[in-house]
Amino acid sequence: MVRIVSLVSGSGTNLQALLDAIGHRGPSYGAEVVAVGADRHGIEGLARAERAGVPTFVHRVRDFVDRAAWDRAMTASVEAYAPDLVLSAGFMKILGPAFMAAFRDRVVNTHPALLPSFPGAHGVRDALRYGVKVTGCTVHFVDEGVDTGPIIAQQAVPVEPDDDEAVLHERIKTVERRLLVDVVGRLARDGYRIEGRKVYIP
Ligand code: GRF
């Protein structure tokens, strides 16, 4: 059974979709969420973990002398759960060098745009402002850059003329949650290999 630590910063609906899939499918899903970490207290993502009986931890950047110390604390807390995969599901911090050294090729992120278009924290707003007619979501491995790692899967979502950021983001998230659950399950059950920028799931 593949062990997943999920990192969250907000509402945690992607995490919930994963917890629900595991709840419905049981061991046949191939993965379990062994812990949920966050960079802030009081978020729904943590409450979802607690309701599911999943242990949680929180490290706030401001509680450390510098970003490197925060990065080391995140790394140590995640390492304590010996995960096979780390899932960044709406986690709004860049993971640092210590974290990447410990979990290279094992950190999966979901992004609400079709990378390499519109990376960063405002992918939905940036796509809307640019005026694209199609956007979507990308599930990818994390590397040192911002949303630059090898792409695992993508799905397109139409932009409608009257969309605002909230409406478009919700349309994307409906697709994103299904894609994430599907991709994480396939990675867990079938394994994968990364060659350069290409990800192969047998
Ligand atoms: C998702 O759209 C994710 O791609 C983005 O933030 C959103 C998180 O949603 N980075 P949730 O916390 O899983 O509901």
Side-chain angles (χ1 to χ4, degrees):
M1 187 69 69
V2 163
R3 297 168 62 82
I4 296 174
V5 171
S6 183
L7 304 178
V8 294
S9 296
S11 61
T13 62
N14 280 283
L15 166 66
Q16 188 68 57
L18 184 62
L19 292 169
D20 290 348
I22 292 168
H24 291 139
R25 294 192 46 176
S28 73
Y29 182 73
E32 58 185 332
V33 180
V34 295
V36 170
D39 63 333
R40 61 198 76 183
H41 294 284
I43 52 173
E44 186 59 20
L46 287 170
R48 292 176 191 280
E50 280 152 22
R51 286 198 292 273
V54 175
T56 62
F57 60 88
V58 175
H59 294 306
R60 302 189 306 175
V61 170
R62 73 174 85 149
D63 293 335
F64 294 86
V65 287
D66 57 18
R67 193 81 180 205
W70 172 81
D71 184 40
R72 286 194 297 274
M74 285 299 294
T75 305
S77 290
V78 174
E79 262 173 345
Y81 290 98
D84 303 292
L85 287 175
V86 179
L87 178 60
S88 161
F91 186 63
M92 301 308 285
K93 292 277 185 308
I94 307 293
L95 296 160
F99 199 95
M100 292 315 301
F103 300 110
R104 174 162 303 286
D105 295 347
R106 287 190 288 155
V107 187
V108 174
N109 180 50
T110 175
H111 181 76
L114 291 175
L115 294 172
S117 291
F118 313 117
H122 303 291
V124 179
R125 189 181 73 191
D126 293 345
L128 203 53
R129 283 192 183 160
Y130 196 91
V132 294
K133 304 298 187 197
V134 175
T135 184
C137 50
T138 303
V139 180
H140 65 96
F141 283 105
V142 174
D143 65 9
E144 279 74 12
V146 177
D147 301 325
T148 52
I151 291 170
I152 309 167
Q154 294 184 296
Q155 209 161 318
V157 173
V159 181
E160 304 295 349
D162 295 332
D163 279 352
D164 61 18
E165 186 178 348
V167 167
L168 177 58
H169 199 174
E170 203 41 55
R171 189 179 306 122
I172 293 169
K173 283 175 72 169
T174 304
V175 172
E176 185 180 21
R177 290 188 281 261
R178 279 201 299 266
L179 184 68
L180 185 70
V181 166
D182 174 60
V183 166
V184 169
R186 286 196 289 132
L187 293 173
R189 291 187 300 275
D190 301 334
Y192 60 91
R193 71 176 201 282
I194 305 172
E195 286 176 17
R197 292 208 51 85
K198 297 247 178 92
V199 179
Y200 299 93
I201 301 176

